[in-house]
Amino acid sequence: PLNIFNSLKIKHCPLEIIRWPARDVQPILIRSLVEAIKSKQRIEVDYVSIQQPDREGRIITPHTIVSTGERWHVRSWCEKNGDYRDFVLSRFRGEPELLGPSNNLIEDDLAWQTKVTMEIIPNPALTTAQQNVVAEDYSMFERKMDITIRAQLLPYAVNLLGLEIKSKTTNVLSKQLVLRNAEALTKWLYFSEQE
């Protein structure tokens, strides 16, 4: 929608944009991650997390930098955990070091390679008229919208869209959209690979 406003070149029209607080990411980190991704290399980094607030060395093989709408992270193979995980960029510390080629590539990341389709509908607890308003807000066809997304990004999308997972909620006005096929997507709905 912002592009629509930009293309109109409206002068003197008040416009406000809510922006998320900036999270500090060092340029050296981005340069190192981009180099590691382009050359499919392992990289040694220091990382902190909620579970491990003390600086801890990690060897990762990054494959994709991702914006979730709220923050930036990098999808990577983690040698410590032996699986693919999401690492929040603002939680890296120190200077990364490239370590050479890796055998753990993007093609091996099942949650990344798997595509799922979210079936989104207006909350059935709303009145028919209210459902029609929501459907029109989101340009739905026959009160349904399908969004295909990488399985690993599903929890981020659910959060960003404010989707209700169940079909009924105590506050239907705050959860106007429902993920109709949540049961079929349960395997991908909850983070098991986030640092």
Side-chain angles (χ1 to χ4, degrees):
L2 187 56
N3 289 338
I4 293 169
F5 288 109
N6 286 339
S7 68
L8 293 176
K9 298 183 193 275
I10 299 173
K11 293 184 179 185
H12 310 295
C13 179
L15 175 67
E16 286 292 326
I17 300 172
I18 297 174
R19 300 201 189 277
W20 290 103
R23 295 183 187 214
D24 189 36
V25 178
Q26 298 301 312
I28 185 87
L29 171 67
I30 299 299
R31 282 193 298 272
S32 298
L33 288 173
V34 168
E35 178 61 30
I37 291 168
K38 283 169 50 181
S39 58
K40 300 177 181 173
Q41 289 193 59
R42 298 162 62 234
I43 189 170
E44 186 171 5
V45 295
D46 284 339
Y47 192 75
V48 296
S49 67
I50 299 300
Q51 295 82 8
Q52 181 64 42
D54 295 326
R55 202 178 235 203
E56 180 180 39
R58 296 286 181 101
I59 297 174
I60 63 173
T61 302
H63 68 65
T64 307
I65 296 174
V66 178
S67 171
T68 65
E70 294 178 332
R71 64 185 181 188
W72 289 87
H73 69 259
V74 64
R75 183 74 175 161
S76 305
W77 172 261
C78 176
E79 290 188 14
K80 174 189 172 200
N81 295 295
D83 61 12
Y84 289 91
R85 295 188 171 233
D86 297 340
F87 292 90
V88 179
L89 293 187
S90 59
R91 294 182 179 172
F92 286 93
R93 304 291 185 261
E95 230 174 277
E97 180 183 348
L98 293 172
L99 299 177
S102 174
N103 294 325
N104 300 295
L105 305 175
I106 190 172
E107 295 82 9
D108 303 318
D109 187 348
L110 178 65
W112 190 259
Q113 296 300 331
T114 302
K115 298 276 184 93
V116 296
T117 299
M118 303 165 53
E119 295 175 10
I120 301 169
I121 60 171
N123 193 325
L126 294 169
T127 67
T128 300
Q130 290 171 325
Q131 288 180 49
N132 289 337
V133 169
V134 172
E136 193 170 327
D137 276 350
Y138 289 92
S139 301
M140 293 182 181
F141 179 72
E142 296 181 356
R143 289 201 308 214
K144 182 176 164 256
M145 173 174 56
D146 290 343
I147 298 175
T148 301
I149 189 170
R150 294 184 187 280
Q152 180 58 31
L153 300 179
L154 180 63
Y156 298 117
V158 166
N159 183 54
L160 193 61
L161 291 169
L163 296 178
E164 178 66 33
I165 302 300
K166 304 174 287 290
S167 61
K168 302 270 187 210
T169 184
T170 53
N171 187 358
V172 295
L173 296 180
S174 70
K175 295 290 185 179
Q176 297 172 7
L177 297 172
V178 170
L179 183 60
R180 181 167 69 181
N181 62 333
E183 193 172 308
L185 301 177
T186 300
K187 174 181 180 178
W188 308 110
L189 272 174
Y190 305 101
F191 287 116
S192 60
E193 306 159 348
Q194 183 182 17
E195 288 289 318

